[in-house]
């Protein structure tokens, strides 16, 4: 696949996540390889494989329903780097923090590796502290 096709795959994948409104995450199988592995710190009780990715998607669907935007992407070879902004509402428990119903916004940089038209690896850096401040779990700026 070309770098443009790889970037389009990631945009379709993010849109499919946003469009899913149920606990059935089989849609992820269309985009993510069976031997997928994530390289970021896991959420408690969530594995770093494809099933863990589905589990994490459900956690965030319930806890912070919303949408994602990809302001820009770069790609080289089999790698796609995306700057992603997620926006939603803290509507359910998130990592032990009860719902606040506050609006949240988080930026992240995500690197996906593509093989044979599917995502095989994922590494992400997310601004979690910003979200924790938005929901009152961390003190805000002084």
């Amino acid at each position: 696949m070309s770098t443009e096709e790889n970037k389009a795959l990631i945009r379709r994948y993010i849109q499919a996540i946003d469009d899913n409104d149920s606990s059935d995450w089989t849609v992820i199988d269309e985009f993510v390889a069976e031997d997928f592995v994530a390289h970021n710190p896991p959420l408690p009780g969530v594995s770093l494989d494809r099933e863990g990715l589905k589990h994490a998607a459900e956690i965030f669907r319930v806890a912070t329903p919303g949408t994602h935007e990809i302001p820009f992407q770069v790609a080289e070879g089999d790698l796609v780097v995306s700057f992603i902004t997620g926006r939603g509402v803290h509507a359910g428990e998130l990592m032990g923090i009860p719902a606040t119903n506050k609006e949240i916004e988080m930026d992240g940089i995500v690197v996906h590796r593509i093989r044979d038209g599917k995502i095989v690896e994922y590494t992400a850096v997310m601004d979690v502290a910003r979200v924790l401040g938005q929901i009152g779990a961390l003190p805000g700026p002084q």
Side-chain angles (χ1 to χ4, degrees):
M1 293 178 65
S2 73
T3 56
E4 289 305 313
E5 290 170 321
N6 287 346
K7 288 176 5 181
L9 171 73
I10 298 305
R11 288 191 302 272
R12 288 192 313 273
Y13 167 67
I14 296 297
Q15 188 62 55
I17 289 172
D18 283 353
D19 289 346
N20 189 50
D21 62 358
S22 79
S23 62
D24 178 3
W25 285 100
T26 55
V27 66
I28 285 177
D29 297 342
E30 296 175 32
F31 299 93
V32 177
E34 286 184 38
D35 61 343
F36 166 85
V37 63
H39 298 288
N40 51 295
L43 294 170
V46 176
S47 60
L48 295 175
D49 56 9
R50 185 166 76 176
E51 289 309 306
L53 186 63
K54 293 175 186 180
H55 185 185
E58 179 62 9
I59 289 169
F60 287 106
R61 182 188 73 81
V62 172
T64 59
T67 60
H68 298 85
E69 174 187 359
I70 302 176
F72 66 88
Q73 291 178 302
V74 293
E76 182 175 327
D78 61 353
L79 298 175
V80 177
V81 179
S82 305
F83 183 87
I84 301 176
T85 300
R87 294 180 184 89
V89 174
H90 181 215
E93 182 181 308
L94 180 62
M95 294 183 283
I97 302 167
T100 62
N101 294 312
K102 292 182 178 181
E103 291 187 14
I104 59 169
E105 181 175 293
M106 180 170 66
D107 293 324
I109 298 171
V110 182
V111 181
H112 290 97
R113 183 178 303 278
I114 313 298
R115 182 186 67 224
D116 299 327
K118 293 213 175 187
I119 300 164
V120 293
E121 289 184 85
Y122 165 98
T123 302
V125 178
M126 304 290 183
D127 189 0
V128 176
R130 181 177 174 196
V131 171
L132 293 175
Q134 292 167 357
I135 63 176
L138 286 178
Q142 303 297 324

